[in-house]
Amino acid sequence: GALPPLPHGDVLIHSGDFTNFGSLAEVEDFASWMGAQPHRLKIVVPGNHDMILDAEYYDEFWPDWSPVKESHEAARRAFERNGVRLLIDESVEFDGLHLHGSPWVVRCPDGPTAGMRHGGRRSTGRRQRLRESGEDRDLTGKRTGCPHLATRVGELRPSLHVFGHVHSDAGVFEPRPEDPTTRLNASCVCDFYRVGARSAHIVDVPIGS
């Protein structure tokens, strides 16, 4: 398949899973494509598929995904070279907007994956604060998001919360009278991993948010 054309906008955000196997070649190809987009600010927050960007996970588990160990520093430089901001527990200011990116995901019953740990600092609610929404559900309707994060987002009340780990529940969740946050599951991967199955979302965010 082919990716559909992207709509115009000021900020382009990709919330992860832009590779299948976390290889350097996949990262470089994506970073080149992302950098060629016309948006003034381009932000990427890695997903668990993009394991080469989680140095700690990759150093331990790279043989599960690749016949050769590649450089996660080279993967990071691919984004720098193409003018794309890679946010891993980092923030950026842009035209009165404060944007924060954090790639950690909830525990996986199938075993370790990039962006999480079974125990230790990365599996705490504090570290999982800005990625998964407690609203996420899988195909059976079961909640699959991080409850700690849902609580934290409720406390911070940002104008927009973008995430993308749960493939089965993509779309925009509009704010409610008691909750001013627009939540966007921008998962680019459909449940059958078909390229081009989903289009980009457009969200207007007031300046000063």
Side-chain angles (χ1 to χ4, degrees):
L3 293 174
L6 294 181
H8 294 292
D10 297 302
V11 181
L12 175 62
I13 300 174
H14 197 292
S15 59
D17 290 353
F18 46 83
T19 71
N20 282 320
F21 303 104
S23 70
L24 180 58
E26 289 175 306
V27 170
E28 291 178 331
D29 184 56
F30 171 77
S32 176
W33 172 85
M34 188 83 170
Q37 303 308 311
H39 306 74
R40 294 164 58 205
L41 176 64
K42 287 155 279 198
I43 290 176
V44 167
V45 181
N48 67 310
H49 286 244
D50 316 316
M51 64 284 294
I52 194 173
L53 292 164
D54 182 345
E56 186 178 338
Y57 172 88
Y58 187 75
D59 285 346
E60 183 175 355
F61 293 103
W62 69 266
D64 292 348
W65 302 98
S66 173
V68 60
K69 186 178 183 182
E70 298 178 304
S71 168
H72 42 76
E73 289 301 326
R76 293 179 67 102
R77 288 195 297 270
F79 291 100
E80 297 173 7
R81 188 167 61 247
N82 286 281
V84 178
R85 290 297 302 266
L86 181 69
L87 296 184
I88 300 177
D89 281 345
E90 297 176 71
S91 299
V92 62
E93 304 286 336
F94 176 80
D95 278 5
L97 298 176
H98 178 84
L99 303 99
H100 182 84
S102 183
W104 315 126
V105 299
V106 295
R107 293 171 183 254
C108 177
D110 297 327
T113 184
M116 61 143 281
R117 294 291 181 273
H118 290 288
R121 62 183 179 86
R122 292 188 185 175
S123 65
T124 67
R126 184 176 67 84
R127 297 293 292 186
Q128 294 173 336
R129 59 189 177 279
L130 286 176
R131 183 63 194 275
E132 289 300 310
S133 167
E135 301 293 329
D136 272 344
R137 297 176 186 270
D138 62 17
L139 290 173
T140 68
K142 178 184 177 182
R143 289 187 182 275
T144 55
C146 173
H148 306 290
L149 178 57
T151 298
R152 184 59 174 154
V153 170
E155 294 169 352
L156 293 174
R157 297 166 70 86
S159 295
L160 177 64
H161 176 209
V162 181
F163 46 97
H165 181 58
V166 179
H167 305 167
S168 58
D169 204 21
V172 178
F173 300 85
E174 298 292 346
R176 302 182 295 270
E178 71 280 8
D179 181 0
T181 299
T182 298
R183 290 170 168 83
L184 169 58
N185 181 342
S187 172
C188 65
V189 181
C190 72
D191 287 299
F192 303 103
Y193 291 83
R194 182 165 62 87
V195 175
R198 290 179 173 155
S199 299
H201 297 273
I202 303 174
V203 179
D204 290 323
V205 178
I207 296 299
S209 302

